[in-house]
Amino acid sequence: MSFLTFILKIPFRNKTRSALAIVGIAIGIATIIALGIVTDGLKESTQNTLKSGGLDYSPRSQLPESGIQ
């Protein structure tokens, strides 16, 4: 038996393990794609909010007054 035929026969010997591996890879790829879509949406939303000037608050320093300058 050549090495190539050996490599091609291994995945079909244990069908359950092969199916679980394929499902795991598919879930991983779907997760990465979903995170990319969410990240792009958040970037676009943030840019639109900053361009329109629609912020409901303005950041400021909350340092305690200690008298030391």
Side-chain angles (χ1 to χ4, degrees), residues 36-58:
I37 291 170
V38 168
T39 302
D40 289 342
L42 287 173
K43 283 181 186 177
E44 186 176 332
S45 174
T46 303
Q47 288 176 355
N48 289 339
T49 302
L50 292 174
K51 285 180 183 177
S52 69
L55 289 177
D56 293 337
Y57 65 92
S58 57

Side-chain angles (χ1 to χ4, degrees), residues 10-39:
I10 287 176
F12 299 107
R13 288 186 180 174
N14 195 343
K15 294 183 191 317
T16 305
R17 183 171 56 183
S18 299
L20 288 174
I22 291 170
V23 168
I25 291 169
I27 290 172
I29 291 171
T31 303
I32 290 171
I33 291 171
L35 286 173
I37 291 170
V38 168
T39 302

